[in-house]
Amino acid sequence: SPSDVSQKPLSLINCVTFPLPSVTPDQPEQQLLKPNEWSYCDYFWTDKKDPQGTPSVGGFEVLLQKQLKGKQMQKEMAEFVRERIKIEDEYSKNLSKLSQSPLAAQEEGTLGEAWAQLKRSCHDEAEVHLKFSNKLQCEVEKPLLTFRDNFKKELKKYDHHIIDLRKQLASRYAGVEKARKALADRQKDLEVKTQQLDIKHMNKHEEDIKKARRKSTQAGDELMHNVDLYNRAQSKWFEEMVTTSLELERLEVERVEMIRQDLRQYTTLRHETDMFNQSTVEPVDQLLQSVDPAKDRELWVQEHKTGELRPVDMDI
């Protein structure tokens, strides 16, 4: 009935003041649609208020801002990975260049072999980091960007649709308030004319009363019609809000799960890189264990000796 509709003023075209449900024995307190799940569809029906207590943004916009923030965070994660890729590429180039360095190339013996292997390990490590960089691009960065693009397309489907429904609901609410005021005015006019009839008992006032009563009835019908339009719009908006909020919830779960899997792949690649890096230095470790100063001295002497006869005292 018209008396069930709240008379609170309309604040913003997309921030409607809705009638609050009455709690009576016949109408118990509302229950959550998805109890114990902290679901989007249960907690974003009213408007978010600013510090002054004024409605500033609709509940759906709060949900949408959450999704847009998630999209931005994913973009920044992809940028972070891109920076890591650049670092790995640069590191790989520098290691490869370093492995070609002639420094200490003339070291000999078992120590020279270990040194040469250490330089080769730099080249091998450069290859490991180059492969890590390529895998980061294909298996971490690219999935992040692809999912973000698809996520962006999904969000666009819901944005304008829900906002348009909310605006329509606001318009219907304004229509109810306008019709309510018109009915109050007509009822007041009928009451005044009825009182005048009681006092003066004049025939011409009977016609005025009939006319006022007819206008009052028409105003009541108009109010009921507007309430019906509001309830239809509210029902449509309610259905779409539940459906859309659950869809946004699903998208957020997918986003978080996708990023979790993506970052797991990152850590897997890092572990692989560490393992491969370790394998590049194992030959160096083995050769270092074989470094023998005595052996090196023997080899060097054999190659560079100038003679075994030592000087002796001179006899006269």
Side-chain angles (χ1 to χ4, degrees):
S1 66
S3 61
D4 292 331
V5 184
S6 170
Q7 297 189 34
K8 294 181 180 179
L10 189 65
S11 55
L12 296 172
I13 189 64
N14 63 336
C15 291
V16 187
T17 300
F18 299 108
L20 297 177
S22 57
V23 179
T24 65
D26 296 332
Q27 292 181 315
E29 185 178 354
Q30 282 187 347
Q31 301 298 312
L32 295 177
L33 299 174
K34 300 184 73 174
N36 304 319
E37 295 189 29
W38 292 100
S39 176
Y40 288 172
C41 68
D42 278 319
Y43 297 99
F44 295 91
W45 292 103
T46 54
D47 301 330
K48 186 176 182 180
K49 297 182 179 179
D50 60 22
Q52 287 72 39
T54 304
S56 60
V57 63
F60 177 75
E61 281 78 5
V62 174
L63 280 178
L64 197 59
Q65 287 173 5
K66 163 66 174 171
Q67 308 305 311
L68 294 174
K69 180 180 178 181
K71 182 169 70 73
Q72 178 62 26
M73 293 302 97
Q74 194 160 335
K75 176 185 177 183
E76 293 181 13
M77 289 178 187
E79 290 175 355
F80 179 92
V81 175
R82 166 50 48 185
E83 289 302 312
R84 180 63 192 262
I85 290 170
K86 290 180 181 178
I87 291 171
E88 291 295 329
D89 285 343
E90 191 66 23
Y91 185 52
S92 174
K93 291 177 183 178
N94 289 336
L95 276 179
S96 181
K97 182 179 179 181
L98 182 62
S99 70
Q100 305 299 320
S101 170
L103 294 173
Q106 296 181 8
E107 182 60 62
E108 300 173 318
T110 57
L111 181 58
E113 292 177 6
W115 176 251
Q117 184 59 48
L118 186 145
K119 291 170 67 178
R120 286 193 295 271
S121 75
C122 283
H123 178 271
D124 294 340
E125 188 178 352
E127 290 296 317
V128 168
H129 283 276
L130 182 60
K131 289 179 181 178
F132 176 53
S133 171
N134 291 334
K135 286 187 175 183
L136 278 181
Q137 184 175 12
C138 296
E139 300 178 23
V140 179
E141 182 194 28
K142 186 176 179 180
L144 276 174
L145 294 174
T146 300
F147 186 87
R148 176 179 172 272
D149 290 340
N150 294 335
F151 189 73
K152 184 177 181 180
K153 293 175 184 177
E154 290 286 336
L155 284 183
K156 283 186 176 180
K157 293 195 302 185
Y158 307 113
D159 187 356
H160 298 296
H161 180 56
I162 294 295
I163 291 176
D164 288 344
L165 286 176
R166 187 71 186 273
K167 288 180 178 179
Q168 183 182 28
L169 189 59
S171 176
R172 297 304 186 194
Y173 186 88
V176 169
E177 293 301 302
K178 182 178 179 181
R180 186 197 305 282
K181 183 179 183 303
L183 176 59
D185 291 343
R186 294 304 179 187
Q187 288 176 334
K188 184 177 180 181
D189 182 55
L190 177 60
E191 182 180 350
V192 170
K193 285 182 169 54
T194 302
Q195 289 174 351
Q196 289 175 347
L197 178 63
D198 292 339
I199 296 172
K200 299 182 180 180
H201 301 285
M202 297 178 66
N203 291 334
K204 68 174 184 177
H205 285 290
E206 291 182 1
E207 187 62 31
D208 291 341
I209 289 174
K210 289 180 181 180
K211 185 176 180 181
R213 185 175 290 116
R214 186 169 59 253
K215 289 184 177 181
S216 178
T217 300
Q218 291 174 347
D221 291 341
E222 182 66 19
L223 176 58
M224 294 302 296
H225 175 66
N226 277 277
V227 168
D228 181 60
L229 291 177
Y230 172 86
N231 287 337
R232 290 182 186 180
Q234 185 276 137
S235 178
K236 177 65 174 175
W237 182 75
F238 172 82
E239 292 174 4
E240 292 295 330
M241 266 293 289
V242 171
T243 301
T244 304
S245 61
L246 289 176
E247 186 64 17
L248 292 179
E249 186 175 301
R250 180 189 66 80
L251 288 174
E252 177 64 5
V253 170
E254 283 187 1
R255 185 187 76 87
V256 172
E257 284 294 333
M258 179 271 163
I259 293 177
R260 182 170 71 95
Q261 292 297 329
D262 209 53
L263 297 184
R264 275 187 171 180
Q265 182 62 17
Y266 173 87
T267 59
T268 297
L269 293 175
R270 279 291 293 113
H271 290 314
E272 287 181 357
T273 300
D274 290 342
M275 181 181 67
F276 291 142
N277 279 337
Q278 182 64 29
S279 69
T280 65
V281 297
E282 287 175 356
V284 181
D285 286 335
Q286 294 173 359
L287 286 175
L288 286 175
Q289 291 175 2
S290 301
V291 171
D292 183 351
K295 179 67 175 177
D296 285 0
R297 186 172 62 253
E298 175 186 345
L299 292 173
W300 186 84
V301 168
Q302 287 180 353
E303 182 177 354
H304 298 283
K305 62 183 179 180
T306 59
E308 301 175 17
L309 293 178
R310 300 181 298 280
V312 297
D313 291 341
M314 182 181 295
D315 293 333
I316 298 177

